[in-house]
Amino acid sequence: MYGSIQLQQKQLHTIHMTPALSQAIKLLQYSKQELAEFLNEQISGNPLLQHTDHVKGEEYFSTAKNSVDPAQFIGAPENKMEKELLEQIMLLNLEKNQEQMMRFLVQSLDNHGFLSIEAKEAGKVLGISTPEAIRLIGLLQGLEPFGVGTANSQEFLIFQIKAEEKFRFKEIAQALVENDLVKMASGSFHFLAAKYKISRRTLQEIMDFIKILQLYPAESYSSPVSYAIPDVVIKKFNQSWIIEVTDSLLPPIKLDERYIESLLSSSQKDIGNYVQQRIKDAVFLKNSLNKRKETLYRVTEMILEHQEEFFWKGESFIKPMRLKDLAQKVQLHESTVSRITSNKYIQTPYGLFTFKHFFTHSLSTSDAGNSESVLSIKAKLASLIENENPFVPYSDEQLKVLLNQQGIPISRRTIAKYREELNVANSVSRRRY
């Protein structure tokens, strides 16, 4: 016997993802640059929105706490090094065929300024002898940037050592670079001091000299550091804090009233419907931007409240904080808080940080259930190393004891892990002589 078919009515709560809702969610997670690009697209796509000359008057901030010249954001011309080298070649008054050979060598440089072709091979391609090719390469190496046309980092280091007139240990420095780069990198002080029959203090002086040399000729032509633009600035005013959500780099969403009036004066019904829909789109976009700004402010306010000690005293006082806990405080869904804190930066009195920097897990520091953030522990570890005696640096075991004395029970293995994450070498490599 077949079972009967029954019809049941249920009420389900679902969210219909409309294009407008999808847009509002995307606005939350956009970085400032992405948001500016998106708004420019919206202005271009909606003829009712006014194109205005937007003054980019906002300050740029860096982790160095100095404002950045906006000119630094202007991209350098492509092949700037090649262009400058060719200009220098023109001033050498070479014969036409030699000038063409030099142009070939310039075009054989890689992005680091190293010559990607050997002298013998270059001679074959150019139809000249190897000694003549070496002479032309030497001519290239005499141009700016200094050392351009060397074969690799090792040769470039030696090139710089030879050019240094005042350094008293040039020969040993050159021998170290030629034969013992790996030993130098591993910090084999005893071995190298014995091999070259010098004191460890002298070896330290030589290695310090080598460390300040450039690794490749085109170092000054590398891409400029990209400075992040803060979405929020937290400033101290008297004895309190002010939160500023920065948005002056964003193009304004402004309706072109005159154009709208001219369109609405038309007797065609389709035009009137089109105008109303476009106005509705613009209003929704503006409301979404306001909501984004409000949410960003609320989340920042809760971070400031929870991490107030950090803002007064610095990195060592950052507290454990979870995304879930913050979401509960601002009464927003965890996914909303995750979106609004992604790809965004806060300028603080201690530099520029991502929002995510303030979400850190904890490490228990006592039987009473007290805990401390991992970032705080790392800051204290870094402080201990920074203030150690460079001639007798702390071992990981000693660092463990010192942190234990501060009420932070931590293993030597964890010390080593945190030290590596801070890009700090072990005590043997940190030791000065």
Side-chain angles (χ1 to χ4, degrees):
M1 183 174 179
Y2 298 103
S4 60
I5 298 174
Q6 295 181 345
L7 294 176
Q8 293 182 336
Q9 187 176 23
K10 288 185 179 179
Q11 186 176 6
L12 299 173
H13 294 281
T14 61
I15 298 175
H16 179 56
M17 184 63 74
T18 64
L21 181 58
S22 177
Q23 180 189 94
I25 291 173
K26 284 181 180 178
L27 288 183
L28 290 176
Q29 61 196 38
Y30 279 152
S31 66
K32 178 164 285 189
Q33 292 91 331
E34 290 170 335
L35 183 58
E37 289 172 10
F38 172 78
L39 293 179
N40 280 319
E41 288 174 6
Q42 294 299 305
I43 292 170
S44 298
N46 188 339
L48 305 190
L49 292 175
Q50 196 170 30
H51 287 260
T52 58
D53 293 329
H54 185 56
V55 179
K56 297 186 178 181
E58 185 173 57
E59 285 185 309
Y60 290 77
F61 294 81
S62 74
T63 51
K65 304 177 199 170
N66 297 322
S67 59
V68 179
D69 183 357
Q72 294 187 40
F73 288 84
I74 300 172
E78 289 187 20
N79 300 320
K80 183 182 177 184
M81 181 179 68
E82 181 178 321
K83 180 175 177 289
E84 291 182 3
L85 284 169
L86 293 176
E87 288 173 354
Q88 293 175 70
I89 289 170
M90 294 290 288
L91 299 174
L92 294 176
N93 295 320
L94 299 172
E95 294 180 5
K96 193 68 177 176
N97 65 327
Q98 288 184 321
E99 187 179 302
Q100 289 176 343
M101 291 177 187
M102 290 291 287
R103 284 176 173 270
F104 168 79
L105 292 176
V106 168
Q107 290 165 0
S108 300
L109 296 170
D110 65 16
N111 293 333
H112 293 304
F114 294 131
L115 193 62
S116 59
I117 186 171
E118 293 182 358
K120 186 176 181 180
E121 187 181 352
K124 287 181 181 179
V125 173
L126 297 172
I128 57 176
S129 66
T130 300
E132 179 62 15
I134 292 172
R135 189 187 74 80
L136 289 176
I137 292 171
L139 197 60
L140 174 63
Q141 291 173 354
L143 302 178
E144 293 292 334
F146 178 77
V148 68
T150 47
N152 49 47
S153 289
Q154 187 178 39
E155 185 177 312
F156 181 50
L157 287 171
I158 293 169
F159 190 87
Q160 294 173 85
I161 292 168
K162 287 180 176 178
E164 181 57 55
E165 296 179 358
K166 296 181 180 179
F167 187 62
R168 55 181 178 158
F169 301 114
K170 283 173 60 173
E171 290 184 7
I172 299 175
Q174 184 176 330
L176 280 165
V177 170
E178 285 178 344
N179 307 310
D180 289 299
L181 274 177
V182 175
K183 290 287 185 183
M184 284 171 60
S186 63
S188 302
F189 270 79
H190 297 287
F191 172 83
L192 292 173
K195 178 178 178 179
Y196 291 95
K197 298 178 181 178
I198 54 177
S199 69
R200 281 175 285 185
R201 187 180 292 274
T202 298
L203 178 61
Q204 182 79 68
E205 184 180 342
I206 296 169
M207 291 179 68
D208 287 345
F209 166 72
I210 293 171
K211 283 177 183 177
I212 65 172
L213 301 177
Q214 291 182 302
L215 286 176
Y216 52 92
E219 202 168 283
S220 61
Y221 292 84
S222 300
S223 300
V225 177
S226 58
Y227 288 85
I229 305 168
D231 298 87
V232 176
V233 178
I234 297 181
K235 296 178 179 178
K236 187 165 73 170
F237 180 73
N238 292 332
Q239 290 302 308
S240 59
W241 298 97
I242 295 175
I243 299 171
E244 294 179 4
V245 179
T246 58
D247 57 5
S248 60
L249 282 182
L250 303 176
I253 303 302
K254 187 176 180 182
L255 289 167
D256 190 337
E257 300 292 348
R258 289 186 180 180
Y259 185 55
I260 292 171
E261 285 178 13
S262 66
L263 288 175
L264 290 175
S265 64
S266 171
S267 58
Q268 296 184 40
K269 184 180 178 181
D270 289 345
I271 291 179
N273 292 337
Y274 171 80
V275 170
Q276 293 300 327
Q277 182 58 49
R278 287 301 192 174
I279 290 175
K280 184 179 177 182
D281 293 342
V283 170
F284 183 84
L285 178 59
K286 195 165 186 177
N287 290 339
S288 296
L289 286 171
N290 289 336
K291 186 66 177 176
R292 177 186 186 273
K293 188 172 182 178
E294 179 192 335
T295 305
L296 197 54
Y297 183 91
R298 287 174 61 198
V299 168
T300 306
E301 194 175 34
M302 287 298 104
I303 290 175
L304 176 58
E305 182 182 303
H306 187 84
Q307 301 289 5
E308 190 172 4
E309 271 200 288
F310 161 83
F311 287 95
W312 286 113
K313 301 176 184 177
E315 187 84 353
S316 296
F317 295 87
I318 197 163
K319 294 180 179 178
M321 185 171 68
R322 296 185 306 170
L323 193 71
K324 181 180 180 180
D325 298 332
L326 184 64
Q328 289 175 350
K329 282 188 175 182
V330 293
Q331 296 181 340
L332 291 171
H333 194 276
E334 193 173 338
S335 63
T336 302
V337 176
S338 177
R339 288 188 180 98
I340 200 66
T341 54
S342 296
N343 306 311
K344 295 180 185 66
Y345 295 85
I346 302 179
Q347 180 70 32
T348 77
Y350 303 100
L352 189 68
F353 297 93
T354 63
F355 270 77
K356 298 292 187 184
H357 179 81
F358 295 95
F359 299 109
T360 175
H361 59 280
S362 62
L363 190 70
S364 178
T365 57
S366 73
D367 295 333
N370 296 330
S371 63
E372 190 156 355
S373 76
V374 170
L375 284 178
S376 172
I377 295 169
K378 284 183 179 179
K380 289 176 179 177
L381 175 62
S383 178
L384 287 171
I385 294 171
E386 186 179 345
N387 294 296
E388 70 187 358
N389 183 342
F391 301 104
V392 191
Y394 295 129
S395 68
D396 289 348
E397 182 64 30
Q398 289 171 317
L399 289 167
K400 183 193 88 169
V401 171
L402 290 170
L403 286 174
N404 285 347
Q405 289 172 355
Q406 294 184 31
I408 303 172
I410 189 170
S411 69
R412 187 189 59 78
R413 179 180 292 182
T414 305
I415 290 283
K417 176 188 172 185
Y418 289 174
R419 178 175 52 72
E420 288 170 4
E421 289 173 357
L422 290 167
N423 293 319
V424 175
N426 59 32
S427 59
V428 174
S429 299
R430 295 200 309 276
R431 185 178 179 185
R432 308 287 296 176
Y433 293 94

